[in-house]
Amino acid sequence: MLSRHFLRSKVLQEVYSCQIEPKDGVTALHEFDYHIGRLNELGILQVSLLPCMAEVAAQVMEEGKKKYFATEEERNPNMQLTRNEFLRRMADNFELKKHIEKWGGCWNTHEELIREAFVDFRQQQVYIDYLALEKPTFEQDKELAIMLFRYLMNRDAITAMLGERSLLWEDDYSQIAQYNFMMLKTLMADSFNEAMPWPMMYDSRNEGEVEAMDFARTLLRQTLAMREESDTLVKKFLQGWEFERVATMDILLINMAVAELTSCPSIPEKVTVDEYIELSKEFSAERSRLFINGILDKMVAELRSQGKINKSGRGLTTI
């Protein structure tokens, strides 16, 4: 589920870390693989909140029944959420249970945080409307679960708790939450069952994702290996600028673009250039895209004339 654009951003972060703390290529690749692997942990921690919420909701309702001065609503709670078919299938899925045992157990020590979330969610109109349904369909159960997931992902307390678990997740939290949101929407009644393989952020069983990771690892390795060669090319085309005054992030983006242009034959030149212009909007200064675009135009022509850009294959135009 990790797009190549996202993987490029992760490679950029690793290349930048090498700039701050020099390391060899083997160490950099090892750290990159470790960080990508931990995205699976973040993804499972996020989605595991849903079955946890159903369990906590049942506990809260049972406790309400036992209050000495229980209200009518507390004595006879609407248990619809605890019977939600979509959440039940999540809780029963073999692979998800295995992943939760490995990574998701942390919610057991943060039950109060989940309780507070449930108490607040009960006041949301989407939940009130759901309780008014006489007998929800699978799709209605699914819609409620997805809205609950969105609600949980936007709670500051949950974001902060996961951020404390890994500083690296601060930048990834929203991206992984969006992937999970879209993934949950794809789960259908006729195929979502206990034996279904659980979708992961990075799944080595998926040929396309393995190819994407191979691309990212090649990009990282070649960017580090070609650093001096790329810097020499940049200096050649600088006009009215001293190399030392160019923003470090701009140089790193150009280094990555050169590595991709010369080491990834199936990716069209225009796609590569456009990708690094987009990355400059996310990671560098406002006018950096103009500088990077101008330098890359000249470098592409130079590299092509030297025979260092050789494109072949089906052309991955959507990456």
Side-chain angles (χ1 to χ4, degrees):
M1 293 180 69
L2 297 177
S3 69
R4 295 201 180 197
H5 180 82
F6 181 77
L7 286 170
R8 285 185 181 92
S9 72
K10 295 290 101 183
V11 171
L12 176 60
Q13 290 174 11
E14 185 60 38
V15 171
Y16 182 78
S17 76
C18 292
Q19 180 80 7
I20 303 300
E21 183 181 345
K23 63 192 80 167
D24 60 59
V26 173
T27 301
L29 283 169
H30 177 75
E31 291 185 359
F32 176 76
D33 289 345
Y34 171 75
H35 294 154
I36 294 298
R38 288 210 68 190
L39 294 177
N40 279 336
E41 179 182 352
L42 174 57
I44 292 299
L45 283 168
Q46 289 181 350
V47 296
S48 65
L49 268 169
L50 288 175
C52 284
M53 176 67 83
E55 292 179 9
V56 169
Q59 293 173 14
V60 171
M61 293 177 192
E62 286 301 319
E63 290 167 4
K65 293 179 184 179
K66 298 174 183 178
K67 285 184 178 180
Y68 191 78
F69 292 108
T71 64
E72 178 62 28
E73 182 180 355
E74 288 173 329
R75 283 193 296 268
N76 298 285
N78 187 323
M79 305 293 286
Q80 198 125 277
L81 179 64
T82 65
R83 297 190 294 266
N84 184 289
E85 178 67 13
F86 189 84
L87 297 181
R88 186 193 65 76
R89 294 194 193 189
M90 287 187 70
D92 290 344
N93 182 268
F94 295 142
E95 280 200 4
L96 181 56
K97 285 194 290 187
K98 182 177 69 175
H99 295 317
I100 290 175
E101 288 175 3
K102 180 178 180 181
W103 291 314
C106 73
W107 296 122
N108 296 331
T109 59
H110 291 82
E111 185 177 309
E112 191 58 35
L113 185 152
I114 301 175
R115 282 174 172 265
E116 291 174 359
F118 172 63
V119 170
D120 290 346
F121 186 67
R122 286 195 298 188
Q123 311 306 314
Q124 301 296 309
Q125 190 61 48
V126 64
Y127 183 67
I128 295 170
D129 293 342
Y130 175 72
L131 295 185
L133 298 171
E134 183 175 347
K135 189 176 180 181
T137 64
F138 176 85
E139 286 302 318
Q140 289 170 326
D141 280 345
K142 172 180 172 179
E143 182 179 1
L144 185 279
I146 290 173
M147 291 302 100
L148 174 58
F149 179 75
R150 172 181 283 174
Y151 176 80
L152 292 169
M153 291 301 98
N154 284 295
R155 284 185 68 85
D156 292 340
I158 290 173
T159 304
M161 179 267 165
L162 290 176
E164 291 172 2
R165 198 170 172 94
S166 174
L167 294 176
L168 295 170
W169 288 349
E170 184 175 348
D171 294 332
D172 300 326
Y173 182 89
S174 295
Q175 181 74 66
I176 300 305
Q178 181 63 24
Y179 283 152
N180 272 326
F181 180 81
M182 299 305 295
M183 177 273 292
L184 291 172
K185 293 178 70 173
T186 68
L187 301 181
M188 298 299 165
D190 59 350
S191 58
F192 184 18
N193 55 53
E194 58 189 17
M196 182 198 77
W198 188 259
M200 302 292 285
M201 296 304 104
Y202 169 64
D203 194 336
S204 59
R205 297 169 299 190
N206 184 300
E207 183 179 349
E209 293 186 30
V210 172
E211 289 181 0
M213 269 296 288
D214 287 344
F215 155 77
R217 297 180 92 252
T218 297
L219 180 60
L220 174 58
R221 183 171 55 249
Q222 291 300 108
T223 299
L224 296 177
M226 297 178 64
R227 177 68 188 272
E228 291 186 9
E229 180 181 347
S230 298
D231 286 352
T232 299
L233 268 177
V234 173
K235 292 174 184 177
K236 178 177 181 179
F237 296 114
L238 285 177
Q239 295 180 347
W241 285 84
E242 296 179 7
F243 182 79
E244 290 71 20
R245 294 183 61 191
V246 179
T248 298
M249 189 59 70
D250 292 356
I251 295 298
L252 297 183
L253 286 165
I254 293 170
N255 290 162
M256 286 179 61
V258 170
E260 185 170 319
L261 285 164
T262 57
S263 306
C264 302
S266 63
I267 301 177
E269 296 168 12
K270 185 179 186 305
V271 171
T272 295
V273 173
D274 288 347
E275 279 290 328
Y276 289 97
I277 291 173
E278 286 302 311
L279 284 171
S280 73
K281 296 176 185 177
E282 299 174 35
F283 294 97
S284 199
E286 183 177 351
R287 294 183 59 82
S288 290
R289 61 186 180 87
L290 300 176
F291 169 75
I292 291 172
N293 189 33
I295 293 292
L296 286 180
D297 278 348
K298 297 173 183 176
M299 294 179 80
V300 166
E302 177 78 3
L303 292 168
R304 196 187 297 127
S305 69
Q306 294 176 0
K308 294 182 178 180
I309 296 180
N310 297 289
K311 298 298 180 180
S312 61
R314 62 183 183 275
L316 303 176
T317 56
T318 305
I319 52 177

